[in-house]
Amino acid sequence: MTRTSDTIIEIRDIKKSFPGVKALKGVSFDVARGSVHCIVGENGAGKSTFIKILTGAQPASSGEIRLNGEPFAPYHVSDAIAQGISCLYQELNIVEDLSVEQNLSLGQEKHKFLFPKRADNLDKARSILANFDESIKLSDKVSNLSVAQKQIVEITRALVTDCSVLVMDEPTAALSLGETTKIMRVIERLRDSGMTIIYISHKLSEIFEIGDSVTVLRDGEMVATQPLKGMTQTDLVRLMLGKVVAEQYIPSTGARDETVLEVRDVSTRKLRDINFDLKKGEILGFYGLLGAGKTEVAEVLFGHDCRGEIRKDGNIINMKSERDALRSGFALVPEERREEGIFGLLGIAKNVPLMNMKTVMKNGLVSGKAERDLADKYIDMLQIAASNRNHPVALLSGGNQQKVVIAKCLNRDSDIILMDEPTRGVDIGAKQEIHNIIRDLANKGKSVVVFSSELQEITGLCDRIVLMYDGKVRETIENGENIDTDYILDVVAGKEA
Amino acid sequence: MKYLMHYLQTDMQKVILMGILAALMIGLSIASPNFLSITNFTNVLLKVAIIVIIASAANLLMITGNFDLSVGAVLAFSGILHAYMSKHGVPVELSILITLIVAMAWGGVNALTVSVLGINPVIATVGTLFIARGFAFLIARWDGGANIMMGLPRDFVDFGRDPVFGLVPLAIVVMVAAVAIFIFIEKRTALGRKAYAIGANLKSAKLSGINTVGIVALLYVLVGLFAGLSGVLQTSRVGLASPTVGKGLEFDVIVAIILGGTSMLGGVGSTFGMVLGALVVGFTANGMVLLGIPFYYQTIAYGVILIGTLLLSQKFGTRAKA
């Protein structure tokens, strides 16, 4: 690659390792001046690490970045900003209780005889703001603005400090559709004025709407950097996910003809008109890219607020909390096992009964023997490798922790078991075991709903697959021998049928 | 590995406490001829009893990751209320009953602010502290003085002074009962198990269908009840109700609990450890009095113990959540 005059950033063989993990294994690409350069990749691909290095939040382990042809190695975020690279993080970095003006001059206040002095660049800020959204006034309190407007204030703040490169990390994650369009227009205007934008998003439609070129990261490696023109969304998804090796699908043995759950026209802020059925003894999979709405569907089934109708065994149910959901016969294996699943300080024996204390109570009291027996039953059934049932669960490996969460959930004996990313961060062996446990459950007449961002898991496990894209159910397909993964990728990438 | 260390050390903490307690006993027996006497031990235990009764409930509350700074004020208020009602013709038994119900209502205020509305427990319970303390002064004022002392009926003080079976003061019996009840709750009830779960991981507890709000609220009400009971016991024994008693008691309670190995962040702790903590604090204070150490040194020593235990707890706490 030779440097041409319109290359603003050159990235050469950037590597970053943390103890035990190689987060980036040599990333190289160029960013053209005045373009919108997108970076995509699934969870753990190395996007965040890369952004941190580029914006000075973390140093690279090795490699070189050149900005305008000069070596660029920021030691600190302020260093990067001084050299013209500003970043808008996913979480808004803005003080709610201050006015727009105060936010714009935050950290750059000037004083005259100990009294705050009016910032000199306010006129500039005002004209930038007016350019984007005339309804925002400098005196407005930020907490009264919409999320998109807050983002515009943040962008403005970056612009007043004369940045030439703006890094945007999922700016639209918290936005509604209308607000997203607004930000898209802002980005277009910035690009037309000569600004270079590095844009990270999970929403492929946005990338194709405003992006000029794209860099795909996968497992810390750069898979491709190429212009978006001529690419399809499916091409991009294929690059992001790599080769999909299908696991052998073993159908559930039950009849699967009795409907236990009907979901009709369910909508929330991020979901639109979700419809599906769940049969007794079936494993139903939800597949879609990050941000397609899988987690939101799981939340709705576990007591989150929604519009629409949910029927269980033919009766409309109205759930207002997790406890309502449990009472209605749902149980959830949550996505974040450490934060939402285990009780790390407590032993296996105390973790397992917590969803259903009745199983260890005798005459209204907790029975130590019942507790030990229950723990032993699940340790044996799920093959949990633990030296001691009072061993704090936090000390177990990820796979064993996940089995404890599953044990806790099974002990509830619910009809419908929701599993959000049941094997994330679990080694291959434990993964197979967990899959077998899930198949076993279905064969015993339970209904299991699996939410996964791993296509291999979905096609190997599920009897039917609901494909989601952008908060909507695109299609529900039957799994079988000639399941077409290419077709699935087309659908979840948003390609119109 | 950190967790293992943590576990070892919390149990280690009990062993260390027992060691300190033994050393205090032996040292003080040698240093002061008055130490090993029934009178002295009864005195220490009566002081410790008030702390332990409240701390029994407050310990389980802290295991959920919450705490109550209003206990001293609720104790003072309950003493005054009980004395006022008894003096103005309410039968002592009825007066005790009403006082305990009102004390639970104070706990209910904390339950509402902290558990239901989610206000920070430091702010919310200090608010209750001031309100309860203020009402204690107000009731004393209704009676016409700063304290309520004169004109209390005979059976008012009899309740507090008659030893049970002619042997043990009532407060000590109540202390033993309170400890027994909470050890039982801790080991054998769903409430105890769920309290630990809430402190270990609030989010997991919610997703497991545990009524986190209800359990924390219930524990605040129980702490109020035991603070009220302590207030009744104390005024009855002393024969005097003062709105200024129990200042700083909330810290005695917290020091006993933390010294006993309960994490301020919740999830870890035991009633037994708390009792050891309270005894260490009680005998240290007693020893300093017996050895004639001036009160300002005692105050300084108390401050050092408080910060020391908090540092200890901080260390364990961060370990626990690492």
Side-chain angles (χ1 to χ4, degrees), chain A residues 7 65 132 140 166 286 321 328 339 347 355 365 391 419 428:
Chain A
T7 299
I65 302 177
F132 294 138
D140 285 346
L166 188 59
F286 273 81
S321 66
S328 308
E339 285 82 30
M355 257 190 183
L365 296 178
H391 212 51
M419 296 196 165
I428 304 266

Side-chain angles (χ1 to χ4, degrees), chain A residues 113-399:
Chain A
F113 305 121
L114 293 176
F115 289 101
K117 194 179 139 207
R118 205 169 168 278
D120 341 311
N121 47 18
L122 272 187
D123 296 328
K124 188 176 167 195
R126 189 177 295 119
S127 70
I128 296 172
L129 265 182
N131 218 338
F132 294 138
D133 186 338
E134 282 163 357
S135 63
I136 307 176
K137 304 222 164 25
L138 284 176
S139 55
D140 285 346
K141 203 172 160 188
V142 165
S143 53
N144 298 333
L145 301 178
S146 74
V147 184
Q149 285 177 322
K150 287 177 193 168
Q151 228 141 22
I152 290 175
V153 173
E154 273 217 72
I155 295 173
T156 309
R157 187 163 68 189
L159 296 185
V160 240
T161 57
D162 286 322
C163 75
S164 52
V165 178
L166 188 59
V167 181
M168 302 176 91
D169 190 1
E170 290 198 55
T172 58
L175 298 187
S176 70
L177 207 64
E179 291 179 312
T180 301
T181 319
K182 197 169 182 176
I183 294 294
M184 294 291 116
R185 295 293 87 77
V186 169
I187 293 171
E188 274 168 12
R189 233 184 255 190
L190 287 174
R191 177 187 53 192
D192 295 346
S193 69
M195 172 90 62
T196 308
I197 290 156
I198 295 183
Y199 190 83
I200 296 102
S201 178
H202 289 298
K203 297 182 185 163
L204 299 187
S205 55
E206 286 172 13
I207 285 169
F208 280 90
E209 188 182 339
I210 56 160
D212 296 311
S213 47
V214 65
T215 291
V216 182
L217 299 181
R218 191 201 316 144
D219 297 328
E221 276 174 278
M222 196 205 65
V223 181
T225 295
Q226 57 188 85
L228 276 158
K229 212 167 190 176
M231 267 179 109
T232 66
Q233 295 204 12
T234 314
D235 295 338
L236 190 53
V237 169
R238 217 163 264 155
L239 285 171
M240 282 162 65
L241 300 183
K243 198 165 178 260
V244 178
V245 189
E247 194 183 328
Q248 184 64 44
Y249 162 64
I250 308 163
S252 300
T253 54
R256 289 183 262 140
D257 49 6
E258 188 186 324
T259 303
V260 289
L261 184 73
E262 295 159 74
V263 173
R264 292 290 172 267
D265 299 324
V266 161
S267 301
T268 66
R269 233 177 91 80
K270 291 194 174 170
L271 295 177
R272 260 172 297 164
D273 301 325
I274 301 295
N275 284 290
F276 65 92
D277 287 346
L278 178 66
K279 312 279 186 204
K280 187 174 159 64
E282 163 182 70
I283 306 172
L284 181 66
F286 273 81
Y287 182 69
L289 297 175
L290 215 65
K294 300 186 301 279
T295 300
E296 285 77 11
V297 172
E299 282 172 354
V300 161
L301 293 181
F302 209 59
H304 263 229
D305 229 18
C306 67
R307 294 182 303 277
E309 192 178 287
I310 302 174
R311 279 172 186 271
K312 182 160 179 290
D313 303 322
N315 307 314
I316 293 186
I317 49 171
N318 192 2
M319 301 181 286
K320 292 204 163 54
S321 66
E322 295 90 356
R323 294 173 64 213
D324 286 347
L326 281 159
R327 262 186 237 122
S328 308
F330 294 89
L332 170 73
V333 174
E335 184 181 3
E336 303 289 341
R337 112 182 114 248
R338 273 176 181 279
E339 285 82 30
E340 305 175 329
I342 60 165
F343 299 89
L345 294 166
L346 309 179
I348 297 176
K350 287 191 178 157
N351 265 274
V352 172
L354 278 170
M355 257 190 183
N356 192 359
M357 287 303 286
K358 267 179 271 157
T359 50
V360 292
M361 307 283 276
K362 276 201 178 115
N363 310 319
L365 296 178
V366 174
S367 150
K369 185 177 181 304
E371 217 172 43
R372 287 191 294 277
D373 290 348
L374 188 76
D376 288 346
K377 174 180 143 193
Y378 282 108
I379 287 174
D380 189 51
M381 183 169 130
L382 306 184
Q383 299 288 307
I384 302 173
S387 53
N388 179 336
R389 43 177 129 69
N390 298 320
H391 212 51
V393 171
L395 290 175
L396 302 176
S397 71

